[in-house]
Amino acid sequence: MKKLVVIALAAICALSLFGCDNSSKEEKTEGDTLVMATNAEFPPYEYYEGSDIIGIDADIMTEVANELGMTLKIEDMAFDSIIAAVKSGKADVGVAGMTITEDRQASVDFSDPYTTARQVVILKDGSEIKTVDDLEGKTIGVQLGTTGDIYAGDVEGATIERYNKGYEAVQALLQGKVDCVIIDNEPAKVFVSQNEGIYILDEDFALEEYAIAVDKGNTELLTKINDALAKLKDSGKLQEIIDKYISAE
Ligand code: GLN
């Protein structure tokens, strides 16, 4: 699987002559660069392989940038800095498995969704938590500023422990510092597969949609991105990228 991903990436790099090199923009002028703010701690959407940031979002945005005749440059930062980066113009787009929320829509505009996702609950083996309702009064680990963080705030009597990285919340669960972690389903699957003694609760916590954030009012860029996304959906390329990183259940 990993080998396949590497081969596929190499093929995309070879074919496109763009992207895949997150740092270089030598042969391109500043105006041709599409700067993507992300938090590369969120497999399979964005994560490090060596010094490269790869994943579903990185691949989708490489394709979108190609459609726009631009070169993608990825800037890694804390998840809760991404919207500020887009607003200040430090980045053109925020792409980080970012859920469309009303609150965020007050500061940024979102593209059409490119995937649906779920918030799930990770538990330690032997947990007494059997349903989402059982989270009442429990200590919940979340990643700072994520929808998991926001939803945890609605759980009656819960104590919320916030971590900079989703993986740190999972570590806290393994160490017994929190009773559960609320996080997106695909990263949850990756973290559970990498650690013994934890599992995902059958019942989902919430359904959501991921989209690309641009600065509020940047309709020119937003329209171009939506057109590019529509092309990727129609051609099957979008699904191909998703299937490359997520094996069918
Ligand atoms: N989907 C969640 C959110 O938008 C988490 C994203 C992330 O941690 N990268 O808040």
Side-chain angles (χ1 to χ4, degrees):
M1 169 69 194
K2 209 168 184 191
K3 213 173 230 166
L4 264 180
V5 168
V6 172
I7 293 166
L9 268 176
I12 288 169
C13 292
L15 284 175
S16 67
L17 299 172
F18 300 115
C20 303
D21 180 352
N22 300 335
S23 56
S24 135
K25 51 174 183 184
E26 278 123 50
E27 71 279 39
K28 290 268 164 184
T29 59
E30 193 62 41
D32 292 323
T33 305
L34 186 71
V35 180
M36 159 179 162
T38 197
N39 172 240
E41 309 279 351
F42 200 68
Y45 293 95
E46 40 269 329
Y47 57 103
Y48 278 95
E49 191 175 73
S51 57
D52 293 331
I53 296 172
I54 64 165
I56 294 171
D57 289 343
D59 278 16
I60 290 175
M61 291 315 293
T62 298
E63 294 292 331
V64 167
N66 282 347
E67 286 290 337
L68 271 53
M70 299 170 92
T71 303
L72 186 68
K73 181 169 190 274
I74 302 179
E75 299 273 4
D76 186 20
M77 60 189 71
F79 182 77
D80 72 336
S81 301
I82 295 172
I83 287 190
V86 170
K87 290 216 65 66
S88 70
K90 201 176 153 229
D92 301 304
V93 288
V95 194
M98 190 181 282
T99 306
I100 303 172
T101 71
E102 252 179 54
D103 257 17
R104 291 174 185 162
Q105 278 170 325
S107 351
V108 290
D109 286 333
F110 283 103
S111 71
D112 296 329
Y114 60 87
T115 203
T116 54
R118 295 173 280 131
Q119 291 293 312
V120 297
V121 182
I122 308 180
L123 298 169
K124 211 171 166 181
D125 285 357
S127 172
E128 59 179 32
I129 297 169
K130 305 289 177 215
T131 68
V132 161
D133 288 341
D134 295 339
L135 294 187
E136 251 182 50
K138 294 284 190 291
T139 302
I140 305 175
V142 297
Q143 186 186 357
L144 176 72
T146 61
T147 45
D149 185 357
I150 298 161
Y151 299 143
D154 295 335
V155 177
E156 187 101 5
T159 306
I160 307 171
E161 296 291 344
R162 300 182 172 85
Y163 300 89
N164 281 319
K165 302 172 183 179
Y167 191 67
E168 288 169 2
V170 172
Q171 290 297 316
L173 175 67
L174 287 162
Q175 293 160 7
K177 290 179 184 160
V178 298
D179 299 312
C180 66
V181 171
I182 300 180
I183 195 166
D184 303 51
N185 60 315
E186 291 301 335
K189 273 162 48 184
V190 174
F191 296 144
V192 166
S193 76
Q194 290 169 346
N195 293 281
E196 295 274 309
I198 53 175
Y199 65 99
I200 298 171
L201 182 68
D202 280 339
E203 190 186 355
D204 291 336
F205 198 84
L207 290 177
E208 38 189 41
E209 288 181 315
Y210 293 169
I212 299 161
V214 303
D215 192 12
K216 193 126 201 86
N218 192 351
T219 41
E220 196 190 327
L221 181 60
L222 193 64
T223 306
K224 285 185 190 166
I225 288 173
N226 279 335
D227 288 349
L229 273 181
K231 269 195 197 169
L232 294 179
K233 280 179 194 169
D234 290 347
S235 69
K237 184 75 205 170
L238 182 71
Q239 194 57 46
E240 206 178 287
I241 291 171
I242 293 170
D243 293 345
K244 193 169 99 183
Y245 289 95
I246 301 174
S247 48
E249 271 149 67

